[in-house]
Amino acid sequence: KNEVEQSPQNLTAQEGEFITINCSYSVGISALHWLQQHPGGGIVSLFMLSSGKKKHGRLIATINIQEKHSSLHITASHPRDSAVYICAVSGNQFYFGTGTSLTVIP
Amino acid sequence: GAVVSQHPSWVICKSGTSVKIECRSLDFQATTMFWYRQFPKQSLMLMATSNEGSKATYEQGVEKDKFLINHASLTLSTLTVTSAHPEDSSFYICSARDRQGVDTIYFGEGSWLTVV
């Protein structure tokens, strides 16, 4: 059993659609991270959160500590959002989800 | 904004040789840096946590004598793959933690290592 579970694994959306990626974890954490990895491999840290909700541009991340669940939302999706989105949690150790491959079609 | 620079981006080395990868935080001091590896179509795997001025903490299954990590300054950590073998070929990524202001982690662009 993975400590971090992400869903869906793959997601295809039409440009403009609202997208949600979910992350559930089973360990105690001090923070949860949402990462974006582009085809070339480079990784960008989108959010690091330990409670509540954060918003950056069209991206929104929420976390429910009691339910051990987080969601990443993308509003008005665009083809340039196509990437792999990875959920990671940190506490005593770092655990990574297997990623969600998002393709946004024009 | 904060940037983490990783070098080299690509490296090919012969089996048995050693290769060093550098990770620099360009505009902040990073007391903690992390090293990861990623095999094709797999998720990131944390290899070790590096704290400035002290020995790195390695994850279970990661050979510390094979993957030497040095964090000699607040802006530089290095990963040296010693006596590289083809199975060490992978994508290696570093990240650095910026605790000043908003506590966040920034990732380097990664280094593709191919051992032939």
Side-chain angles (χ1 to χ4, degrees):
Chain A
K1 183 185 182 302
N2 294 328
E3 288 79 3
V4 179
E5 299 277 359
Q6 264 183 259
S7 64
Q9 275 193 307
N10 297 284
L11 181 57
T12 300
Q14 288 294 130
E15 183 173 357
E17 284 187 7
F18 180 85
I19 289 164
T20 296
I21 300 171
N22 294 301
C23 175
S24 296
Y25 55 93
S26 59
V27 294
I29 68 169
S30 57
L32 183 140
H33 310 258
W34 280 104
L35 313 173
Q36 181 191 54
Q37 185 172 28
H38 284 280
I43 292 177
V44 174
S45 177
L46 300 174
F47 295 103
M48 178 173 165
L49 64 166
S50 54
S51 65
K53 177 180 173 178
K54 286 188 176 181
K55 184 176 188 292
H56 182 69
R58 296 181 293 106
L59 302 178
I60 302 167
T62 63
I63 187 169
N64 184 317
I65 297 294
Q66 286 73 32
E67 295 185 4
K68 294 190 173 180
H69 181 270
S70 175
S71 294
L72 175 68
H73 305 286
I74 304 175
T75 61
S77 59
H78 190 276
R80 64 176 175 266
D81 297 327
S82 298
V84 174
Y85 292 83
I86 302 169
C87 172
V89 298
S90 58
N92 292 330
Q93 289 185 271
F94 247 107
Y95 297 98
F96 294 89
T98 52
T100 295
S101 180
L102 171 65
T103 302
V104 181
I105 301 170
Chain B
V3 175
V4 173
S5 172
Q6 202 171 326
H7 176 82
S9 300
W10 299 84
V11 58
I12 299 174
C13 70
K14 288 187 176 180
S15 190
T17 63
S18 296
V19 60
K20 181 185 287 186
I21 301 170
E22 294 187 348
C23 179
R24 293 180 185 272
S25 57
L26 297 185
D27 56 3
F28 67 96
Q29 293 182 332
T31 53
T32 305
M33 289 186 170
F34 306 89
W35 287 96
Y36 315 81
R37 68 187 299 182
Q38 184 180 37
F39 292 106
K41 299 188 186 295
Q42 295 187 26
S43 189
L44 290 169
M45 183 191 80
L46 179 66
M47 299 175 67
T49 302
S50 166
N51 291 299
E52 186 266 338
S54 64
K55 291 183 179 180
T57 302
Y58 289 81
E59 296 299 304
Q60 193 172 10
V62 178
E63 300 175 59
K64 60 181 180 181
D65 293 330
K66 180 167 185 62
F67 299 99
L68 301 178
I69 291 173
N70 183 280
H71 192 163
S73 79
L74 286 170
T75 60
L76 174 65
S77 177
T78 61
L79 167 68
T80 302
V81 183
T82 63
S83 187
H85 287 277
E87 57 264 31
D88 297 324
S89 299
S90 185
F91 185 56
Y92 292 87
I93 311 170
C94 73
S95 69
R97 188 166 190 173
D98 182 3
R99 292 180 182 265
Q100 298 169 338
V102 177
D103 186 3
T104 193
I105 293 175
Y106 299 96
F107 284 79
E109 288 295 308
S111 300
W112 289 98
L113 169 64
T114 301
V115 184
V116 298

